[in-house]
Amino acid sequence: MLFKLSLKNVKKSFKDYAVYFATLTVGVAVFYVFNAVETQAVMLNVMQKSGDFTKMLSGMLSGVSILVSLILGFLVVYASRFLMKRRKKEFGTYLLLGLGKWKVSMILFWETLLIGGCSLAVGLLTGVVLSQFMSLFVANLFAADMTVFKFLFSRTACEKTIIHFVIIYLVMLLFQTFEIGRCRLVTFFHAKGKSEEIKMRNPWVCILVFVIAAGMLAYAYYQVTGNVENLHSAKAIFSLIIMGIVSTFLLFWSISGFAFKLVSIFEKYYYKGLHAFMFRQLASKINTTVCIMSVISLMLFLTICVLSCSLSVKNSMDSMREHLTPVDIIIHKRISLEDGESEEIMTDALGMGGFSYNEYTKEQLEGLPLSIKETYGAMEIDLSRYFTREENFYVYSIPGMTIGDLFEKMGEDMTESEVWFYMNKVLRLVKVSDYNRLMALSGKKGVKLSADEYMVMANLPDMVKAWNLFLQADIPLTVSGNTLYPAGNACREGFLVMAANYTEHGFIVVPDEAVSEMNPVYEYLAANYNGKSKEEKREIEKIVTLQDVYEYPESYSTWVSLNTKIDVTDAGMGIGGIITFLGLYLGIVFLLSSAVVLALKELSEYADNIERYQILRRLGTDEKIINRTLLGQIGIFFGTPLILALVHSVFGIRFLLYQLRTFGREGLLSSVLETIAVFLIIYGGYFALTYACSKNIIKDKRAS
């Protein structure tokens, strides 16, 4: 009997609980989709290419999924509160007819089992379908081979989803049983009769608090934008976060105190249509919505920032990848000591990985003068067989001179600056003819220098800024008795080794004559593979990167370093893919959470205030006007936290992009557009669903 009654209740009330059902279904689908990725055929192919990154992604997904399940669990319990509040009068009737609280709890158990089972089934089915589209997204993230794509069902993800959601449903059942057990009969029948008392706060106090909160926000906004370069400590950043949270709460508290009074001043607008009724309804929720609005606004802010910045990083890295990897391989090798350097206590002054000579054998030191090709030749590898085009170039240094020594001539103390780390790096010099040959091989434009000029090349944002200040000071550089002057007041973008993002801290291009009598410290060899397909190039890479060589003299391997386009591309896609994937996962969950809480809060209010809409109809109010008022009230409720979140996001995104500046910001516009699309689908969808369900609640009541 109880099961039949539960089934009948579910059928009868299904329209009212559309938001609840949608939340469960979407939660299940999202959980399955993101946990099924690692078992997709495309992803398995990716893991073979960039195993470290995808294993890291898999591990992080497991940890994030626990957080997500906690958030979804909160949403389910919060949604069940709406159902309990909506049906307390019904439960009271059951008790009045002689059913015990245990039997009422059993009715809820069967209803939860039916709704939960349906949502789990529909959610898993939806997730299986969407996971195939996620494979396409993953393929784009990691540049996977789509020829291996095939339809797959992830048993692991399915089991994980079922386990997590069964636990969530059990927690919800315990909560519902506890709620029924602690309520008295009179509580059930008066649950809807309680109306929120309108307590008007002192408007002058609210205005004062508003000004203080706005001032706090203005200060925080300035710190994360105009003064961001001076924010070095985590403590300072954390204090600004706390300030933003507190000021957000104070803003909502103060606005809720004087907004109603402010609107009522404009009598023509206030008394037009049902505006007075609408704003009185909004004012009645003052005491219960301040905390909710504050939390939701902050969650929406996090969602916008996480989605925009993660997508921006991915788009920027995609854009930079081709730009920063113009050739297939760059090999570099130390070929001499600097004048005056000790063979026993010499560290790698060029920053290519610190080491001390006294840690190596005499044979290893004897291998130092060998060129790159001689080193490979000793291992019986003829590089010319594998390269179509190649260029050698050399790096020189002024004995004992660091970048910091050069900046001291400017009179600036760089020890406390953001670039202090690079001040101890040795000043590197490259001949203009060598650099131009590298640019020609890379398909880029070369540079021109007069006999008395030098040019700085860099792309690391902080160092670019520092070099520009240095060049504007017009400080001469002396190289082997030749005095050189800056060729311009700004450095040029350039690099010596390939990377997935901006990492070049700077080197100086000088006329050939300036270093003609100096010995080069490093030799570089840039080249393109003679393979045409990706598979052929990967086979060549295995040979020239010594992946298949296990035994060879240490004197040859010690000094050779290299980076390749394939490695840099895989690494870049791995980092960008992880950031984007997790950002999308968390962003969607945060957005879903915010929309669900707002929707359920609104539906709960309309369920409590049905009688007021009945009175409006009895007074002859047109249904279109009621619906328009309903739409306006829901729009204000959904729009208010979003507006403040958008304002926060303008400054938050700028701060995050500054912190992620080495990844670039070329893809910001497209990432913002993608974020807007996600918002329209989820947030806009819940707004429309809330409006439809609210109309259904008040119409069904009238019909009865």
Side-chain angles (χ1 to χ4, degrees):
M1 183 188 76
L2 295 179
F3 177 77
K4 290 182 178 180
L5 184 60
S6 300
L7 183 60
K8 184 177 180 181
N9 286 339
V10 170
K11 291 179 179 178
K12 179 182 67 176
S13 307
F14 196 78
K15 289 183 179 180
D16 288 350
Y17 307 146
V19 171
Y20 178 58
F21 182 78
T23 300
L24 294 176
T25 303
V26 172
V28 170
V30 169
F31 197 88
Y32 175 87
V33 165
F34 283 91
N35 283 278
V37 165
E38 59 186 288
T39 60
Q40 295 296 322
V42 172
M43 194 64 177
L44 293 174
N45 183 53
V46 170
M47 292 176 74
Q48 295 177 356
K49 293 196 311 180
S50 52
D52 291 340
F53 290 107
T54 47
K55 287 176 183 176
M56 185 189 304
L57 174 60
S58 179
M60 294 178 75
L61 271 178
S62 299
V64 171
S65 292
I66 296 175
L67 172 64
V68 169
S69 64
L70 291 175
I71 295 174
L72 293 175
F74 163 76
L75 291 182
V76 172
V77 173
Y78 189 86
S80 70
R81 288 187 62 195
F82 161 67
L83 296 180
M84 292 288 293
K85 188 174 182 180
R86 179 89 168 87
R87 301 177 61 194
K88 277 187 176 180
K89 191 172 182 179
E90 176 189 339
F91 297 150
T93 304
Y94 291 150
L95 294 176
L96 197 62
L97 292 173
L99 287 180
K101 290 183 178 180
W102 174 250
K103 289 187 176 181
V104 174
S105 297
M106 287 303 298
I107 292 174
L108 278 177
F109 168 77
W110 288 115
E111 289 183 11
T112 301
L113 190 64
L114 289 169
I115 296 176
C118 289
S119 62
L120 192 60
V122 175
L124 283 173
L125 182 62
T126 305
V128 170
V129 175
L130 292 178
S131 66
Q132 312 310 312
F133 293 98
M134 180 58 74
S135 292
L136 301 177
F137 180 72
V138 169
N140 179 55
L141 279 181
F142 296 96
D145 182 10
M146 283 305 298
T147 59
V148 301
F149 174 80
K150 60 181 179 179
F151 188 94
L152 283 178
F153 171 76
S154 174
R155 181 179 175 181
T156 303
C158 180
E159 292 174 350
K160 187 183 293 186
T161 303
I162 292 174
I163 291 172
H164 278 258
F165 275 84
V166 166
I167 294 173
I168 290 172
Y169 293 156
L170 289 175
V171 171
M172 182 180 65
L173 280 171
L174 290 174
F175 167 79
Q176 291 175 341
T177 303
F178 174 76
E179 279 286 299
I180 291 175
R182 74 185 183 92
C183 285
R184 295 178 299 168
L185 186 60
V186 67
T187 308
F188 287 116
F189 283 101
H190 287 279
K192 289 187 180 181
K194 295 180 181 178
S195 173
E196 188 70 37
E197 181 184 354
I198 303 178
K199 295 181 179 179
M200 298 301 295
R201 302 186 182 98
N202 187 317
W204 295 109
V205 174
C206 291
I207 291 173
L208 177 62
V209 172
F210 177 83
V211 171
I212 293 172
M216 291 170 61
L217 274 182
Y219 174 78
Y221 290 160
Y222 168 73
Q223 290 295 318
V224 298
T225 52
N227 195 45
V228 67
E229 295 180 4
N230 298 320
L231 289 177
H232 303 304
S233 67
K235 183 179 179 180
I237 296 174
F238 183 73
S239 64
L240 291 175
I241 293 174
I242 297 298
M243 186 179 296
I245 294 173
V246 172
S247 57
T248 298
F249 174 81
L250 292 178
L251 274 179
F252 280 110
W253 185 90
S254 59
I255 290 174
S256 66
F258 69 80
F260 176 72
K261 184 70 175 178
L262 184 65
V263 173
S264 63
I265 294 175
F266 302 95
E267 295 184 358
K268 288 186 178 180
Y269 177 78
Y270 183 69
Y271 291 109
K272 181 180 180 181
L274 292 180
H275 289 174
F277 172 80
M278 180 177 70
F279 285 109
R280 292 286 296 184
Q281 286 287 93
L282 289 171
S284 70
K285 294 182 280 188
I286 286 175
N287 296 321
T288 59
T289 57
V290 171
C291 288
I292 291 176
M293 287 294 197
S294 301
V295 172
I296 288 175
S297 183
L298 292 170
M299 288 185 67
L300 291 175
F301 160 64
L302 282 175
T303 301
I304 295 170
C305 290
V306 167
L307 284 177
S308 297
C309 290
S310 61
L311 292 172
S312 177
V313 167
K314 171 61 174 57
N315 293 335
S316 294
M317 292 187 72
D318 287 345
S319 175
M320 287 191 296
R321 192 161 52 240
E322 287 300 318
H323 177 61
L324 297 178
T325 55
V327 294
D328 287 332
I329 188 171
I330 295 180
I331 307 172
H332 43 92
K333 177 184 182 296
R334 185 117 193 197
I335 56 176
S336 71
L337 301 177
E338 294 181 11
D339 294 338
E341 287 180 336
S342 168
E343 293 185 0
E344 294 183 356
I345 333 170
M346 210 292 290
T347 57
D348 182 8
L350 294 185
M352 299 296 181
F355 55 82
S356 297
Y357 275 103
N358 57 351
E359 296 179 2
Y360 296 90
T361 64
K362 180 180 178 182
E363 287 76 15
Q364 290 172 322
L365 286 174
E366 289 175 350
L368 182 64
L370 292 176
S371 69
I372 291 174
K373 285 197 170 183
E374 288 173 338
T375 302
Y376 274 87
M379 292 181 283
E380 299 182 352
I381 298 175
D382 182 9
L383 292 179
S384 301
R385 290 180 52 194
Y386 307 105
F387 298 155
T388 54
R389 288 188 60 190
E390 59 184 77
E391 292 290 354
N392 283 82
F393 61 99
Y394 299 90
V395 170
Y396 303 80
S397 66
I398 302 175
M401 177 171 280
T402 64
I403 294 176
D405 295 332
L406 197 61
F407 273 80
E408 283 182 2
K409 298 180 180 180
M410 189 174 58
E412 291 283 340
D413 183 12
M414 308 299 290
T415 56
E416 300 295 328
S417 69
E418 293 184 345
V419 296
W420 64 269
F421 175 77
Y422 302 101
M423 293 299 106
N424 292 325
K425 300 288 185 181
V426 159
L427 189 66
R428 295 171 296 169
L429 309 176
V430 177
K431 293 193 298 186
V432 65
S433 60
D434 280 359
Y435 186 75
N436 284 340
R437 284 190 291 107
L438 174 63
M439 291 298 99
L441 178 64
S442 304
K444 301 180 183 296
K445 189 177 180 180
V447 299
K448 293 182 179 180
L449 287 178
S450 300
D452 61 345
E453 290 182 331
Y454 70 88
M455 184 176 292
V456 178
M457 302 291 177
N459 62 30
L460 187 66
D462 289 337
M463 281 301 293
V464 167
K465 191 181 299 182
W467 279 117
N468 288 343
L469 290 175
F470 175 81
L471 293 172
Q472 289 165 13
D474 198 30
I475 296 173
L477 172 67
T478 302
V479 181
S480 297
N482 300 289
T483 301
L484 308 176
Y485 297 90
N489 58 5
C491 70
R492 296 274 296 271
E493 182 182 327
F495 53 90
L496 293 179
V497 296
M498 296 184 290
N501 54 303
Y502 297 136
T503 57
E504 178 56 68
H505 62 270
F507 60 93
I508 296 180
V509 177
V510 298
D512 290 12
E513 299 77 15
V515 293
S516 59
E517 298 180 2
M518 299 173 62
N519 292 322
V521 180
Y522 263 87
E523 178 193 7
Y524 282 69
L525 175 62
N528 288 320
Y529 300 146
N530 59 17
K532 295 181 180 180
S533 66
K534 289 183 179 180
E535 290 73 19
E536 289 177 349
K537 289 187 175 183
R538 285 188 179 274
E539 289 301 318
I540 293 173
E541 183 149 313
K542 287 182 180 180
I543 298 172
V544 298
T545 58
L546 312 177
Q547 294 179 32
D548 294 332
V549 180
Y550 298 99
E551 293 183 6
Y552 47 84
E554 290 185 354
S555 57
Y556 306 134
S557 64
T558 301
W559 309 107
V560 176
S561 300
L562 51 85
N563 60 353
T564 70
K565 183 173 186 175
I566 292 175
D567 276 347
V568 171
T569 299
D570 289 347
M573 287 188 298
I575 295 172
I578 289 174
I579 293 173
T580 305
F581 199 83
L582 294 180
L584 190 64
Y585 193 9
L586 291 175
I588 288 176
V589 171
F590 286 156
L591 182 57
L592 178 65
S593 304
S594 304
V596 169
V597 171
L598 282 175
L600 293 174
K601 181 65 179 174
E602 276 292 83
L603 291 176
S604 180
E605 292 293 332
Y606 290 120
D608 287 346
N609 295 295
I610 292 174
E611 291 79 3
R612 297 180 181 180
Y613 290 94
Q614 284 183 307
I615 293 172
L616 288 176
R617 293 189 179 95
R618 292 192 192 109
L619 293 173
T621 307
D622 187 74
E623 194 68 30
K624 290 183 179 179
I625 298 178
I626 292 177
N627 290 340
R628 192 159 55 241
T629 302
L630 199 67
L631 182 63
Q633 188 172 335
I634 296 173
I636 292 173
F637 202 71
F638 271 75
T640 301
L642 180 59
I643 290 172
L644 186 58
L646 289 172
V647 176
H648 284 344
S649 301
V650 171
F651 299 93
I653 290 174
R654 287 184 61 184
F655 174 74
L656 288 175
L657 289 179
Y658 177 82
Q659 300 300 325
L660 300 170
R661 58 195 176 280
T662 58
F663 293 103
R665 57 178 66 185
E666 288 84 353
L668 180 59
L669 178 60
S670 59
S671 67
V672 169
L673 294 176
E674 290 165 356
T675 301
I676 291 173
V678 174
F679 256 80
L680 288 175
I681 294 172
I682 298 179
Y683 200 72
Y686 266 92
F687 169 78
L689 188 59
T690 303
Y691 175 61
C693 289
S694 299
K695 287 199 302 181
N696 181 68
I697 288 174
I698 58 178
K699 284 181 179 179
D700 284 351
K701 183 66 179 179
R702 181 187 62 172
S704 63

